Amino acid sequence: MQNKRISIVTGAGRGIGAGIATRLAMRGDSVICVDIDVQAAEAIAAECGERSIGIGLDVSDSAAVNTFVADLIDRYSQIDVLVNNAGINRDAMLHKMTDEAWESVIAVDLTGVFNLCRAVGAQMRTASYGRIVNVASASWMGNIGQTNYAAAKAGVVGLTRSIAKELAFKQVTANAVCPGFILTEMTKAMPPQLFDVQLAKIPLGRPGEPSDVAKVIDFLTSDDAAYVTGEVINVGGGYKL
Ligand code: NAP
């Protein structure tokens, strides 16, 4: 299996997803870089090398996801690795949380993960091989101003553990990775005082880089991780200690 993997990474256009896509490409995977922004997806695919491609896709659109996965299977026969990384946040205190903020985060961060897992998981089940990693968040345990995001990410943890149980007999593994505080557009958009509060919570004394998350996902999607499934792994420099 080594060096012949077909790997999907969602939200690959920037941030953690771009770090994951380039890391998997470095070990020889053909990376299907998916992003709602097709130009960003294509730019990262170009960095990944000639065997990788960029695709514009909204992960929350289940019909589009099904078509995308069917096309990939026609083209490659098999998908070995699925990394569900695409995510958004629309933070607000509960009493100010709009329907739009609630629904959009659930649609992308939870339903989007379900859509890809269902479509790709069916093929992995048939192939009796697969590695699924879902990017949740340390916030799944609960966080002020993030009822929508925490609910979605807690849902991702439950979904991942359920998939791990369902598909283990087919040698398909599923794990969740929970980044802590990683330097990306998502966190750079924070007000400076909030940024400093988050930084103070990290025992290792620095924010994470996308590559810190990508290295863990590299392992979890490798053959060496064949006996690791249903785990929820924090990558946060001790953020939740
Ligand atoms: P980011 O910089 O905002 O990147 C997310 C990427 O996902 C963007 O390219 C975005 O495209 C894309 N995307 C958004 N909605 C999409 C959709 N419906 N379909 C397909 N692609 C979509 O975020 P990040 O910080 O790298 O975060 C990546 C993942 O890690 C997310 O799931 C996030 O919740 C999780 N996470 C991040 C941190 C952190 O500290 N950064 C901590 C915990 C968890 P556009 O830019 O065009 O919207």
Side-chain angles (χ1 to χ4, degrees), residues 35-101:
D35 204 280
I36 199 161
D37 177 345
V38 65
Q39 285 176 336
E42 285 173 349
I44 294 298
E47 277 184 41
C48 288
E50 60 186 15
R51 287 190 290 114
S52 296
I53 57 171
I55 302 281
L57 176 74
D58 178 352
V59 297
S60 69
D61 180 342
S62 83
V65 167
N66 290 339
T67 303
F68 156 72
V69 173
D71 289 349
L72 276 188
I73 292 169
D74 274 352
R75 180 169 173 173
Y76 296 103
S77 307
Q78 187 165 326
I79 298 159
D80 305 297
V81 171
L82 169 63
V83 182
N84 281 303
N85 162 82
I88 59 170
N89 55 7
R90 299 283 183 272
D91 295 356
M93 297 301 276
L94 176 62
H95 62 289
K96 291 188 178 170
M97 181 73 64
T98 62
D99 289 349
E100 193 281 329

Short mmCIF file of all heavy atoms in Angstrom, two decimals, residues 35-101:
data_model
loop_
_atom_site.label_atom_id
_atom_site.label_comp_id
_atom_site.label_asym_id
_atom_site.label_seq_id
_atom_site.Cartn_x
_atom_site.Cartn_y
_atom_site.Cartn_z
N ASP A 35 -11.58 21.72 -1.73
CA ASP A 35 -11.89 22.95 -0.99
C ASP A 35 -13.07 23.62 -1.66
O ASP A 35 -13.31 23.43 -2.86
CB ASP A 35 -10.68 23.90 -0.99
CG ASP A 35 -10.73 24.87 0.19
OD1 ASP A 35 -11.47 25.87 0.11
OD2 ASP A 35 -10.06 24.61 1.21
N ILE A 36 -13.80 24.40 -0.89
CA ILE A 36 -14.91 25.16 -1.48
C ILE A 36 -14.36 26.19 -2.46
O ILE A 36 -15.03 26.58 -3.41
CB ILE A 36 -15.78 25.80 -0.37
CG1 ILE A 36 -17.15 26.16 -0.91
CG2 ILE A 36 -15.08 26.96 0.30
CD1 ILE A 36 -18.21 26.35 0.14
N ASP A 37 -13.11 26.60 -2.26
CA ASP A 37 -12.42 27.55 -3.13
C ASP A 37 -11.56 26.73 -4.11
O ASP A 37 -10.48 26.26 -3.76
CB ASP A 37 -11.56 28.47 -2.26
CG ASP A 37 -10.74 29.46 -3.07
OD1 ASP A 37 -10.59 29.27 -4.28
OD2 ASP A 37 -10.23 30.41 -2.44
N VAL A 38 -12.07 26.57 -5.34
CA VAL A 38 -11.39 25.69 -6.30
C VAL A 38 -9.98 26.17 -6.62
O VAL A 38 -9.06 25.35 -6.80
CB VAL A 38 -12.26 25.49 -7.58
CG1 VAL A 38 -12.42 26.78 -8.35
CG2 VAL A 38 -11.65 24.41 -8.46
N GLN A 39 -9.80 27.49 -6.69
CA GLN A 39 -8.45 28.00 -7.03
C GLN A 39 -7.44 27.66 -5.94
O GLN A 39 -6.30 27.29 -6.22
CB GLN A 39 -8.50 29.51 -7.25
CG GLN A 39 -9.14 29.83 -8.60
CD GLN A 39 -9.30 31.32 -8.82
OE1 GLN A 39 -9.34 32.11 -7.88
NE2 GLN A 39 -9.41 31.69 -10.07
N ALA A 40 -7.88 27.79 -4.69
CA ALA A 40 -6.99 27.44 -3.58
C ALA A 40 -6.68 25.94 -3.62
O ALA A 40 -5.53 25.52 -3.39
CB ALA A 40 -7.64 27.82 -2.25
N ALA A 41 -7.70 25.13 -3.91
CA ALA A 41 -7.49 23.66 -3.99
C ALA A 41 -6.49 23.33 -5.08
O ALA A 41 -5.58 22.51 -4.89
CB ALA A 41 -8.82 22.97 -4.25
N GLU A 42 -6.62 24.00 -6.23
CA GLU A 42 -5.72 23.70 -7.35
C GLU A 42 -4.29 24.17 -7.05
O GLU A 42 -3.31 23.52 -7.44
CB GLU A 42 -6.26 24.35 -8.64
CG GLU A 42 -7.46 23.56 -9.18
CD GLU A 42 -8.15 24.22 -10.35
OE1 GLU A 42 -7.84 25.41 -10.64
OE2 GLU A 42 -9.01 23.56 -10.97
N ALA A 43 -4.18 25.29 -6.34
CA ALA A 43 -2.84 25.80 -6.01
C ALA A 43 -2.11 24.83 -5.08
O ALA A 43 -0.91 24.55 -5.27
CB ALA A 43 -2.95 27.18 -5.36
N ILE A 44 -2.81 24.29 -4.10
CA ILE A 44 -2.16 23.33 -3.19
C ILE A 44 -1.86 22.02 -3.92
O ILE A 44 -0.80 21.42 -3.72
CB ILE A 44 -3.04 23.08 -1.94
CG1 ILE A 44 -3.15 24.36 -1.10
CG2 ILE A 44 -2.49 21.93 -1.09
CD1 ILE A 44 -1.83 24.88 -0.54
N ALA A 45 -2.77 21.61 -4.79
CA ALA A 45 -2.53 20.38 -5.56
C ALA A 45 -1.26 20.54 -6.40
O ALA A 45 -0.46 19.60 -6.52
CB ALA A 45 -3.73 20.06 -6.45
N ALA A 46 -1.06 21.73 -6.95
CA ALA A 46 0.15 21.97 -7.75
C ALA A 46 1.40 21.84 -6.87
O ALA A 46 2.42 21.29 -7.30
CB ALA A 46 0.09 23.36 -8.39
N GLU A 47 1.30 22.30 -5.62
CA GLU A 47 2.43 22.14 -4.68
C GLU A 47 2.67 20.66 -4.37
O GLU A 47 3.79 20.24 -4.09
CB GLU A 47 2.15 22.85 -3.35
CG GLU A 47 2.46 24.33 -3.36
CD GLU A 47 2.25 24.94 -1.97
OE1 GLU A 47 2.63 24.32 -0.96
OE2 GLU A 47 1.68 26.04 -1.93
N CYS A 48 1.58 19.90 -4.35
CA CYS A 48 1.69 18.47 -3.99
C CYS A 48 2.34 17.65 -5.10
O CYS A 48 2.85 16.56 -4.83
CB CYS A 48 0.30 17.90 -3.69
SG CYS A 48 -0.39 18.47 -2.13
N GLY A 49 2.28 18.13 -6.33
CA GLY A 49 2.94 17.40 -7.42
C GLY A 49 1.95 16.93 -8.46
O GLY A 49 0.74 17.01 -8.28
N GLU A 50 2.50 16.39 -9.54
CA GLU A 50 1.68 16.15 -10.73
C GLU A 50 0.62 15.06 -10.56
O GLU A 50 -0.35 15.02 -11.32
CB GLU A 50 2.57 15.86 -11.94
CG GLU A 50 3.45 14.65 -11.77
CD GLU A 50 4.43 14.48 -12.93
OE1 GLU A 50 4.61 15.46 -13.70
OE2 GLU A 50 5.00 13.39 -13.05
N ARG A 51 0.79 14.18 -9.57
CA ARG A 51 -0.21 13.12 -9.39
C ARG A 51 -1.39 13.59 -8.55
O ARG A 51 -2.35 12.86 -8.36
CB ARG A 51 0.43 11.88 -8.78
CG ARG A 51 1.29 11.15 -9.80
CD ARG A 51 1.76 9.79 -9.33
NE ARG A 51 2.74 9.88 -8.28
CZ ARG A 51 2.52 9.46 -7.03
NH1 ARG A 51 1.37 8.94 -6.70
NH2 ARG A 51 3.48 9.57 -6.13
N SER A 52 -1.32 14.81 -8.02
CA SER A 52 -2.41 15.32 -7.17
C SER A 52 -3.31 16.25 -7.98
O SER A 52 -2.88 16.84 -8.97
CB SER A 52 -1.81 16.07 -5.97
OG SER A 52 -1.08 15.15 -5.18
N ILE A 53 -4.57 16.35 -7.54
CA ILE A 53 -5.51 17.24 -8.24
C ILE A 53 -6.28 18.08 -7.22
O ILE A 53 -6.43 17.70 -6.06
CB ILE A 53 -6.52 16.45 -9.12
CG1 ILE A 53 -7.30 15.43 -8.29
CG2 ILE A 53 -5.82 15.81 -10.30
CD1 ILE A 53 -8.45 14.78 -9.06
N GLY A 54 -6.73 19.24 -7.68
CA GLY A 54 -7.54 20.13 -6.86
C GLY A 54 -8.98 20.11 -7.33
O GLY A 54 -9.24 20.15 -8.53
N ILE A 55 -9.91 20.02 -6.39
CA ILE A 55 -11.33 19.93 -6.73
C ILE A 55 -12.10 20.96 -5.89
O ILE A 55 -11.90 21.04 -4.68
CB ILE A 55 -11.90 18.52 -6.39
CG1 ILE A 55 -11.14 17.42 -7.12
CG2 ILE A 55 -13.41 18.45 -6.62
CD1 ILE A 55 -11.54 17.22 -8.57
N GLY A 56 -13.00 21.69 -6.52
CA GLY A 56 -13.89 22.60 -5.80
C GLY A 56 -15.13 21.84 -5.36
O GLY A 56 -15.81 21.24 -6.19
N LEU A 57 -15.41 21.81 -4.07
CA LEU A 57 -16.56 21.05 -3.56
C LEU A 57 -16.99 21.63 -2.23
O LEU A 57 -16.15 21.92 -1.37
CB LEU A 57 -16.16 19.58 -3.37
CG LEU A 57 -17.20 18.64 -2.75
CD1 LEU A 57 -18.31 18.33 -3.76
CD2 LEU A 57 -16.55 17.32 -2.29
N ASP A 58 -18.31 21.77 -2.06
CA ASP A 58 -18.87 22.14 -0.76
C ASP A 58 -19.21 20.84 -0.04
O ASP A 58 -20.13 20.12 -0.45
CB ASP A 58 -20.12 23.00 -0.98
CG ASP A 58 -20.80 23.39 0.33
OD1 ASP A 58 -20.40 22.87 1.41
OD2 ASP A 58 -21.75 24.18 0.27
N VAL A 59 -18.48 20.53 1.03
CA VAL A 59 -18.66 19.24 1.70
C VAL A 59 -20.06 19.08 2.31
O VAL A 59 -20.49 17.96 2.59
CB VAL A 59 -17.58 18.98 2.78
CG1 VAL A 59 -16.19 18.92 2.16
CG2 VAL A 59 -17.64 20.03 3.90
N SER A 60 -20.76 20.19 2.50
CA SER A 60 -22.09 20.09 3.11
C SER A 60 -23.17 19.72 2.10
O SER A 60 -24.32 19.46 2.48
CB SER A 60 -22.46 21.41 3.80
OG SER A 60 -22.68 22.43 2.85
N ASP A 61 -22.81 19.65 0.82
CA ASP A 61 -23.77 19.33 -0.25
C ASP A 61 -23.69 17.83 -0.53
O ASP A 61 -22.79 17.36 -1.23
CB ASP A 61 -23.40 20.17 -1.49
CG ASP A 61 -24.30 19.92 -2.67
OD1 ASP A 61 -25.00 18.88 -2.70
OD2 ASP A 61 -24.29 20.76 -3.58
N SER A 62 -24.63 17.07 0.03
CA SER A 62 -24.48 15.61 -0.03
C SER A 62 -24.55 15.07 -1.45
O SER A 62 -23.82 14.14 -1.80
CB SER A 62 -25.49 14.92 0.90
OG SER A 62 -26.72 14.77 0.30
N ALA A 63 -25.40 15.66 -2.31
CA ALA A 63 -25.49 15.16 -3.69
C ALA A 63 -24.16 15.41 -4.41
O ALA A 63 -23.65 14.53 -5.13
CB ALA A 63 -26.64 15.86 -4.42
N ALA A 64 -23.58 16.58 -4.21
CA ALA A 64 -22.29 16.90 -4.86
C ALA A 64 -21.19 15.98 -4.33
O ALA A 64 -20.33 15.54 -5.10
CB ALA A 64 -21.94 18.36 -4.62
N VAL A 65 -21.22 15.69 -3.04
CA VAL A 65 -20.21 14.79 -2.46
C VAL A 65 -20.34 13.39 -3.08
O VAL A 65 -19.35 12.77 -3.47
CB VAL A 65 -20.34 14.72 -0.92
CG1 VAL A 65 -19.52 13.56 -0.35
CG2 VAL A 65 -19.91 16.05 -0.29
N ASN A 66 -21.58 12.90 -3.21
CA ASN A 66 -21.77 11.57 -3.78
C ASN A 66 -21.27 11.49 -5.22
O ASN A 66 -20.62 10.51 -5.62
CB ASN A 66 -23.25 11.17 -3.71
CG ASN A 66 -23.70 10.90 -2.28
OD1 ASN A 66 -22.87 10.63 -1.41
ND2 ASN A 66 -25.00 10.98 -2.04
N THR A 67 -21.54 12.54 -5.99
CA THR A 67 -21.07 12.57 -7.39
C THR A 67 -19.55 12.62 -7.43
O THR A 67 -18.91 11.91 -8.21
CB THR A 67 -21.67 13.81 -8.10
OG1 THR A 67 -23.08 13.73 -8.01
CG2 THR A 67 -21.24 13.88 -9.56
N PHE A 68 -18.97 13.46 -6.58
CA PHE A 68 -17.50 13.60 -6.51
C PHE A 68 -16.85 12.24 -6.19
O PHE A 68 -15.89 11.83 -6.87
CB PHE A 68 -17.17 14.65 -5.45
CG PHE A 68 -15.80 14.55 -4.85
CD1 PHE A 68 -14.67 14.90 -5.59
CD2 PHE A 68 -15.62 14.13 -3.53
CE1 PHE A 68 -13.40 14.81 -5.03
CE2 PHE A 68 -14.35 14.04 -2.98
CZ PHE A 68 -13.23 14.38 -3.73
N VAL A 69 -17.38 11.55 -5.20
CA VAL A 69 -16.76 10.27 -4.80
C VAL A 69 -16.96 9.21 -5.90
O VAL A 69 -16.03 8.46 -6.21
CB VAL A 69 -17.31 9.80 -3.43
CG1 VAL A 69 -16.81 8.39 -3.09
CG2 VAL A 69 -16.89 10.78 -2.33
N ALA A 70 -18.14 9.19 -6.52
CA ALA A 70 -18.38 8.22 -7.60
C ALA A 70 -17.40 8.48 -8.75
O ALA A 70 -16.83 7.52 -9.32
CB ALA A 70 -19.83 8.33 -8.09
N ASP A 71 -17.17 9.75 -9.08
CA ASP A 71 -16.22 10.08 -10.16
C ASP A 71 -14.81 9.62 -9.81
O ASP A 71 -14.07 9.10 -10.65
CB ASP A 71 -16.20 11.60 -10.42
CG ASP A 71 -17.48 12.07 -11.10
OD1 ASP A 71 -18.27 11.21 -11.54
OD2 ASP A 71 -17.68 13.30 -11.17
N LEU A 72 -14.43 9.83 -8.53
CA LEU A 72 -13.08 9.42 -8.10
C LEU A 72 -12.91 7.91 -8.21
O LEU A 72 -11.87 7.43 -8.63
CB LEU A 72 -12.84 9.82 -6.64
CG LEU A 72 -12.38 11.23 -6.32
CD1 LEU A 72 -12.02 11.31 -4.84
CD2 LEU A 72 -11.21 11.66 -7.18
N ILE A 73 -13.95 7.19 -7.80
CA ILE A 73 -13.85 5.72 -7.83
C ILE A 73 -13.76 5.24 -9.29
O ILE A 73 -13.01 4.32 -9.61
CB ILE A 73 -15.01 5.08 -7.04
CG1 ILE A 73 -14.82 5.40 -5.55
CG2 ILE A 73 -15.05 3.56 -7.25
CD1 ILE A 73 -15.99 5.09 -4.66
N ASP A 74 -14.51 5.91 -10.18
CA ASP A 74 -14.39 5.58 -11.62
C ASP A 74 -12.95 5.76 -12.09
O ASP A 74 -12.43 4.96 -12.85
CB ASP A 74 -15.26 6.53 -12.44
CG ASP A 74 -16.69 6.03 -12.54
OD1 ASP A 74 -16.94 4.89 -12.10
OD2 ASP A 74 -17.54 6.79 -13.05
N ARG A 75 -12.34 6.83 -11.61
CA ARG A 75 -11.01 7.19 -12.10
C ARG A 75 -9.89 6.36 -11.46
O ARG A 75 -8.95 5.94 -12.14
CB ARG A 75 -10.78 8.67 -11.82
CG ARG A 75 -9.45 9.20 -12.27
CD ARG A 75 -9.41 10.72 -12.20
NE ARG A 75 -8.07 11.20 -12.48
CZ ARG A 75 -7.74 12.47 -12.62
NH1 ARG A 75 -8.66 13.39 -12.53
NH2 ARG A 75 -6.50 12.82 -12.86
N TYR A 76 -10.01 6.14 -10.13
CA TYR A 76 -8.88 5.51 -9.41
C TYR A 76 -9.20 4.10 -8.89
O TYR A 76 -8.32 3.45 -8.33
CB TYR A 76 -8.49 6.36 -8.20
CG TYR A 76 -7.98 7.74 -8.54
CD1 TYR A 76 -8.78 8.86 -8.38
CD2 TYR A 76 -6.68 7.93 -9.03
CE1 TYR A 76 -8.31 10.14 -8.67
CE2 TYR A 76 -6.20 9.20 -9.32
CZ TYR A 76 -7.03 10.30 -9.15
OH TYR A 76 -6.56 11.56 -9.44
N SER A 77 -10.45 3.69 -8.97
CA SER A 77 -10.92 2.38 -8.45
C SER A 77 -11.05 2.36 -6.93
O SER A 77 -11.92 1.71 -6.40
CB SER A 77 -10.03 1.20 -8.83
OG SER A 77 -9.83 1.19 -10.18
N GLN A 78 -10.14 3.02 -6.24
CA GLN A 78 -10.08 2.87 -4.78
C GLN A 78 -9.65 4.16 -4.12
O GLN A 78 -8.83 4.89 -4.65
CB GLN A 78 -9.03 1.79 -4.48
CG GLN A 78 -8.96 1.39 -3.05
CD GLN A 78 -8.19 0.09 -2.88
OE1 GLN A 78 -8.25 -0.80 -3.72
NE2 GLN A 78 -7.49 -0.02 -1.78
N ILE A 79 -10.19 4.42 -2.94
CA ILE A 79 -9.72 5.56 -2.13
C ILE A 79 -9.18 4.96 -0.83
O ILE A 79 -9.88 4.21 -0.15
CB ILE A 79 -10.87 6.55 -1.83
CG1 ILE A 79 -11.38 7.13 -3.16
CG2 ILE A 79 -10.39 7.67 -0.91
CD1 ILE A 79 -12.77 7.70 -3.07
N ASP A 80 -7.94 5.27 -0.52
CA ASP A 80 -7.29 4.64 0.63
C ASP A 80 -7.41 5.46 1.90
O ASP A 80 -7.47 4.90 3.00
CB ASP A 80 -5.80 4.42 0.31
CG ASP A 80 -5.64 3.64 -0.98
OD1 ASP A 80 -6.08 2.49 -1.02
OD2 ASP A 80 -5.12 4.20 -1.96
N VAL A 81 -7.35 6.79 1.74
CA VAL A 81 -7.29 7.68 2.91
C VAL A 81 -8.31 8.80 2.74
O VAL A 81 -8.42 9.39 1.67
CB VAL A 81 -5.86 8.29 3.03
CG1 VAL A 81 -5.83 9.38 4.09
CG2 VAL A 81 -4.82 7.21 3.31
N LEU A 82 -9.04 9.05 3.82
CA LEU A 82 -9.96 10.20 3.84
C LEU A 82 -9.63 11.04 5.07
O LEU A 82 -9.70 10.54 6.20
CB LEU A 82 -11.41 9.70 3.93
CG LEU A 82 -12.46 10.79 4.23
CD1 LEU A 82 -12.52 11.83 3.12
CD2 LEU A 82 -13.85 10.15 4.44
N VAL A 83 -9.28 12.29 4.85
CA VAL A 83 -9.06 13.22 5.97
C VAL A 83 -10.11 14.33 5.86
O VAL A 83 -10.08 15.15 4.95
CB VAL A 83 -7.65 13.83 5.95
CG1 VAL A 83 -7.46 14.75 7.17
CG2 VAL A 83 -6.57 12.74 5.95
N ASN A 84 -11.07 14.29 6.78
CA ASN A 84 -12.10 15.34 6.83
C ASN A 84 -11.59 16.47 7.69
O ASN A 84 -11.62 16.39 8.92
CB ASN A 84 -13.39 14.75 7.42
CG ASN A 84 -14.16 13.95 6.41
OD1 ASN A 84 -14.52 14.44 5.34
ND2 ASN A 84 -14.40 12.68 6.72
N ASN A 85 -11.14 17.52 7.04
CA ASN A 85 -10.54 18.65 7.75
C ASN A 85 -11.33 19.95 7.57
O ASN A 85 -11.24 20.84 8.41
CB ASN A 85 -9.09 18.84 7.25
CG ASN A 85 -8.53 20.19 7.59
OD1 ASN A 85 -8.06 20.43 8.70
ND2 ASN A 85 -8.60 21.14 6.65
N ALA A 86 -12.13 20.04 6.50
CA ALA A 86 -12.85 21.31 6.24
C ALA A 86 -13.70 21.68 7.44
O ALA A 86 -14.38 20.84 8.03
CB ALA A 86 -13.73 21.16 5.00
N GLY A 87 -13.64 22.93 7.82
CA GLY A 87 -14.44 23.38 8.95
C GLY A 87 -14.54 24.89 8.97
O GLY A 87 -13.67 25.58 8.41
N ILE A 88 -15.59 25.38 9.59
CA ILE A 88 -15.76 26.82 9.75
C ILE A 88 -16.14 27.08 11.21
O ILE A 88 -16.55 26.16 11.92
CB ILE A 88 -16.87 27.39 8.83
CG1 ILE A 88 -18.23 26.72 9.11
CG2 ILE A 88 -16.49 27.23 7.37
CD1 ILE A 88 -19.41 27.39 8.41
N ASN A 89 -15.97 28.31 11.64
CA ASN A 89 -16.59 28.69 12.93
C ASN A 89 -17.35 30.00 12.77
O ASN A 89 -17.00 30.83 11.93
CB ASN A 89 -15.58 28.73 14.08
CG ASN A 89 -14.40 29.62 13.80
OD1 ASN A 89 -14.36 30.32 12.81
ND2 ASN A 89 -13.43 29.59 14.67
N ARG A 90 -18.41 30.12 13.51
CA ARG A 90 -19.24 31.33 13.55
C ARG A 90 -19.56 31.55 15.02
O ARG A 90 -20.66 31.23 15.48
CB ARG A 90 -20.55 31.14 12.75
CG ARG A 90 -20.39 30.83 11.29
CD ARG A 90 -20.04 32.08 10.46
NE ARG A 90 -19.96 31.74 9.04
CZ ARG A 90 -18.85 31.30 8.41
NH1 ARG A 90 -17.72 31.14 9.09
NH2 ARG A 90 -18.86 31.02 7.13
N ASP A 91 -18.58 32.06 15.79
CA ASP A 91 -18.72 32.13 17.24
C ASP A 91 -19.69 33.22 17.68
O ASP A 91 -19.71 34.31 17.11
CB ASP A 91 -17.36 32.41 17.89
CG ASP A 91 -16.34 31.29 17.67
OD1 ASP A 91 -16.71 30.26 17.09
OD2 ASP A 91 -15.19 31.46 18.09
N ALA A 92 -20.45 32.92 18.71
CA ALA A 92 -21.33 33.91 19.36
C ALA A 92 -21.81 33.30 20.67
O ALA A 92 -21.90 32.08 20.79
CB ALA A 92 -22.54 34.23 18.48
N MET A 93 -22.08 34.16 21.64
CA MET A 93 -22.66 33.66 22.88
C MET A 93 -24.04 33.08 22.56
O MET A 93 -24.70 33.52 21.61
CB MET A 93 -22.77 34.78 23.91
CG MET A 93 -21.41 35.36 24.32
SD MET A 93 -20.29 34.13 25.04
CE MET A 93 -20.88 34.17 26.73
N LEU A 94 -24.47 32.14 23.38
CA LEU A 94 -25.72 31.42 23.13
C LEU A 94 -26.89 32.35 22.84
O LEU A 94 -27.63 32.15 21.87
CB LEU A 94 -26.05 30.53 24.34
CG LEU A 94 -27.37 29.77 24.29
CD1 LEU A 94 -27.39 28.79 23.12
CD2 LEU A 94 -27.59 29.01 25.61
N HIS A 95 -27.03 33.40 23.67
CA HIS A 95 -28.20 34.27 23.50
C HIS A 95 -28.12 35.12 22.24
O HIS A 95 -29.11 35.74 21.84
CB HIS A 95 -28.40 35.16 24.75
CG HIS A 95 -27.27 36.09 25.04
ND1 HIS A 95 -26.05 35.66 25.51
CD2 HIS A 95 -27.18 37.44 24.93
CE1 HIS A 95 -25.24 36.71 25.67
NE2 HIS A 95 -25.91 37.79 25.33
N LYS A 96 -26.94 35.14 21.61
CA LYS A 96 -26.80 35.92 20.36
C LYS A 96 -26.59 35.01 19.14
O LYS A 96 -26.37 35.50 18.04
CB LYS A 96 -25.61 36.87 20.48
CG LYS A 96 -25.84 37.99 21.47
CD LYS A 96 -24.71 38.98 21.40
CE LYS A 96 -24.97 40.13 22.36
NZ LYS A 96 -23.81 41.00 22.51
N MET A 97 -26.63 33.71 19.36
CA MET A 97 -26.37 32.77 18.26
C MET A 97 -27.56 32.77 17.28
O MET A 97 -28.68 32.47 17.66
CB MET A 97 -26.18 31.37 18.86
CG MET A 97 -25.89 30.25 17.87
SD MET A 97 -24.24 30.26 17.16
CE MET A 97 -23.18 29.99 18.58
N THR A 98 -27.29 33.11 16.04
CA THR A 98 -28.37 33.14 15.04
C THR A 98 -28.61 31.73 14.48
O THR A 98 -27.73 30.86 14.57
CB THR A 98 -27.99 34.06 13.86
OG1 THR A 98 -26.81 33.51 13.24
CG2 THR A 98 -27.72 35.49 14.32
N ASP A 99 -29.77 31.55 13.89
CA ASP A 99 -30.06 30.27 13.22
C ASP A 99 -29.01 29.99 12.15
O ASP A 99 -28.54 28.86 11.99
CB ASP A 99 -31.45 30.30 12.56
CG ASP A 99 -32.57 30.29 13.57
OD1 ASP A 99 -32.31 30.06 14.78
OD2 ASP A 99 -33.73 30.55 13.16
N GLU A 100 -28.62 31.04 11.44
CA GLU A 100 -27.65 30.87 10.35
C GLU A 100 -26.30 30.39 10.90
O GLU A 100 -25.67 29.49 10.33
CB GLU A 100 -27.50 32.19 9.58
CG GLU A 100 -26.77 32.08 8.25
CD GLU A 100 -25.23 31.99 8.39
OE1 GLU A 100 -24.66 32.57 9.34
OE2 GLU A 100 -24.60 31.31 7.55
N ALA A 101 -25.87 30.99 12.02
CA ALA A 101 -24.58 30.60 12.60
C ALA A 101 -24.63 29.15 13.09
O ALA A 101 -23.68 28.39 12.92
CB ALA A 101 -24.22 31.54 13.75
#
